[in-house]
């Protein structure tokens, strides 16, 4: 028995080759093939001395523990750091210039590079990443393709400068057709700045350095106030020209001002009536400023009023055979005053004076089609 054990130990010592730094130990079979004709021709059977010897060698190999390499230790450390980063920022996109842990940032970049090179079939200079490591990283939430936020930021800043050079300001419209990406980016920058001012987390896509750079360009953080200021200036100019602040809905010269006036009135009146405004609001400061200019919260829809009076005028003509509504027409004093105003507006238009936006060439032509008589004369209003 002792002799048999000694023979096995001698055999293992003779055939063992251990590679330093490897995870396993390779055992070579040094059996003399001449000891058995069956073994020589690969015909060994279960229970044969040759098979018993191989089974003992396999058992010895399994008993050798796996050696954890420095590479595995680094991988474990980086995974722990990555989990901590995700817990803090909600993602695994560690910036290239992450000064808090530059080693993690560099490792993430190199790991992505190796993985993507393998996927594209490019040589990796001996670098590799196992499927086990890939699975572990993806389980954490690691992304193999990420945006270079620093590069994107610089690109958008360049486009913002170009926008400012063309339009004189940095207020990129939300629906800017020429560059929707720039419009969304500006909105994201404002949101990030608001979060930063409130002490909230803004991620590493935004920083104080980027904030300062945007301020140097002339980026306006509160676009709502900037728009309000612009509209107020336009409203003052409108009033100086027309004597009032009732911008028509179809004011083609400045459709943006017309739309803004309508929306501002709508929000104000909904608030006064206690109706929900879907998050829209108007501050008391803005209300005071508008009222100081002479802005009215309730205005007449002149287009609608014009159509209504035309309808009444047609009915009057059908009844009396003409359009000369008397100044003191008792059945419809509003129609009488309107006819007088139309004549005055037309007189001003013919003299080259301002006729206001309540009267236009289109309205003049419509009245002429009805048969409106610009020179008023006394006619009977007795029913025929």
């Amino acid at each position: 028995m002792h002799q048999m054990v000694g023979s096995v130990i001698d055999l293992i010592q003779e055939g063992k080759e251990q590679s330093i730094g490897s995870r396993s130990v390779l055992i070579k079979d040094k059996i003399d093939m001449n000891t058995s004709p069956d073994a020589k021709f690969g015909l060994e059977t279960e229970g044969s001395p040759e098979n018993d010897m191989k089974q003992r060698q396999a058992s010895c190999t399994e008993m050798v523990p796996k050696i954890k390499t420095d590479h595995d230790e680094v991988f474990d450390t980086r995974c722990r750091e990555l989990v901590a980063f995700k817990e803090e920022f909600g993602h695994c996109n560690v910036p290239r210039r992450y000064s808090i842990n530059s080693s993690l940032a560099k490792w993430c970049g190199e790991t992505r590079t190796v993985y993507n090179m393998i996927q594209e079939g490019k040589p990796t200079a001996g670098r590799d990443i196992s499927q086990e490591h890939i699975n572990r990283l993806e389980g954490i939430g690691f992304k193999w393709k990420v945006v270079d936020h620093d590069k994107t930021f610089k690109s958008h800043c360049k486009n913002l400068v170009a926008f400012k050079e063309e339009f004189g300001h940095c207020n990129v419209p939300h629906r800017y057709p020429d560059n929707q990406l720039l419009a969304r980016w500006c909105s994201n920058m404002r949101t990030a700045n608001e979060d930063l001012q409130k002490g909230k987390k803004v991620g590493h896509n935004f920083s104080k350095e980027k904030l300062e750079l945007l301020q140097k360009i002339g980026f306006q953080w509160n676009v709502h106030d900037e728009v309000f200021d612009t509209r107020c200036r336009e409203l003052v100019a409108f009033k100086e020209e027309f004597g009032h602040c009732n911008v028509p809905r179809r004011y083609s010269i400045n459709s943006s001002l017309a739309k803004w006036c309508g929306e501002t009135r709508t929000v104000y009146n909904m608030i006064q009536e206690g109706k929900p405004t879907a998050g829209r609001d108007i501050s008391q400061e803005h209300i005071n400023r508008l009222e100081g200019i002479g802005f009215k919260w309730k205005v007449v829809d002149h287009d609608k009023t014009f159509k209504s009076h035309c309808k009444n005028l047609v009915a009057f003509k059908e009844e009396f055979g003409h359009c000369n509504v008397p100044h003191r027409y008792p059945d419809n004093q509003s129609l009488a005053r309107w006819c007088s105003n139309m004549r005055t507006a037309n007189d001003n238009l013919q003299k080259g004076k301002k006729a206001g936006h309540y009267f236009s060439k289109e309205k003049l032509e419509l009245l002429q089609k009805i048969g409106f008589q610009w020179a008023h004369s006394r006619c009977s209003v007795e029913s025929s």
Side-chain angles (χ1 to χ4, degrees), residues 12 15 27 42 54 86-87 102-103 117 154 182-183 212 214 222 239 264 273 292 315 337 358 363:
I12 292 172
I27 308 295
K54 286 186 177 181
K86 185 179 181 182
E87 288 175 353
S102 57
S103 297
M117 288 176 72
K154 291 177 182 177
L182 178 63
E212 290 171 0
L214 286 171
N222 195 332
K239 185 179 180 181
T264 302
E273 296 167 11
R337 283 195 299 272
Y358 310 150
K363 290 179 179 178

Side-chain angles (χ1 to χ4, degrees), residues 21-226:
S22 175
R23 294 187 181 187
S24 61
V25 178
L26 178 63
I27 308 295
K28 281 191 174 182
D29 187 1
K30 293 293 184 177
I31 300 174
D32 184 1
M33 296 300 292
N34 294 323
T35 58
S36 169
D38 289 339
K40 184 175 182 180
F41 294 101
L43 302 175
E44 62 269 34
T45 58
E46 186 177 355
S48 66
E50 290 80 6
N51 258 354
D52 290 344
M53 186 63 69
K54 286 186 177 181
Q55 289 174 5
R56 292 189 183 97
Q57 291 176 3
S59 298
C60 292
T61 303
E62 290 174 0
M63 292 172 62
V64 177
K66 287 186 177 181
I67 301 173
K68 203 162 190 176
T69 64
D70 292 341
H71 179 72
D72 290 328
E73 293 290 348
V74 170
F75 183 83
D76 288 342
T77 300
R78 296 292 174 251
C79 281
R80 287 192 297 270
E81 294 171 346
L82 195 59
V83 168
F85 181 92
K86 185 179 181 182
E87 288 175 353
E88 184 172 358
F89 300 108
H91 59 81
C92 295
N93 300 333
V94 183
R96 286 188 307 164
R97 298 179 182 178
Y98 183 47
S99 58
I100 297 175
N101 191 339
S102 57
S103 297
L104 175 62
K106 182 179 179 182
W107 179 82
C108 287
E110 291 176 348
T111 301
R112 283 192 183 93
T113 299
V114 171
Y115 174 87
N116 289 316
M117 288 176 72
I118 292 172
Q119 299 302 309
E120 296 166 10
K122 296 179 180 179
T124 60
R127 295 175 297 174
D128 196 10
I129 180 170
S130 69
Q131 189 60 48
E132 179 186 353
H133 285 186
I134 291 172
N135 294 342
R136 186 172 172 187
L137 285 171
E138 290 179 347
I140 296 172
F142 191 76
K143 304 296 182 184
W144 302 110
K145 296 285 187 181
V146 293
V147 177
D148 187 335
H149 293 287
D150 289 339
K151 187 176 180 180
T152 302
F153 182 84
K154 291 177 182 177
S155 174
H156 283 314
C157 283
K158 184 178 178 181
N159 291 334
L160 186 62
V161 169
F163 180 92
K164 185 179 181 181
E165 289 176 352
E166 183 175 357
F167 299 104
H169 60 81
C170 294
N171 291 332
V172 182
H174 290 299
R175 296 180 182 177
Y176 181 47
D178 294 347
N179 194 333
Q180 273 291 295
L181 284 176
L182 178 63
R184 285 196 295 270
W185 177 78
C186 288
S187 179
N188 292 337
M189 291 300 100
R190 290 187 179 97
T191 301
N193 181 55
E194 286 176 6
D195 290 341
L196 187 68
Q197 302 305 320
K198 294 175 183 176
K200 296 181 180 179
K201 295 175 183 176
V202 294
H204 287 279
N205 305 337
F206 189 77
S207 62
K208 289 184 178 180
E209 292 75 15
K210 290 179 179 178
L211 184 151
E212 290 171 0
L213 179 58
L214 286 171
Q215 287 176 331
K216 286 180 181 178
I217 294 173
F219 192 79
Q220 291 154 327
W221 300 104
N222 195 332
V223 68
H224 181 69
D225 285 343
E226 290 295 331

Side-chain angles (χ1 to χ4, degrees), residues 321-332:
H322 60 82
C323 294
N324 290 329
V325 182
H327 290 301
R328 296 180 180 179
Y329 180 48
D331 292 347
N332 195 333

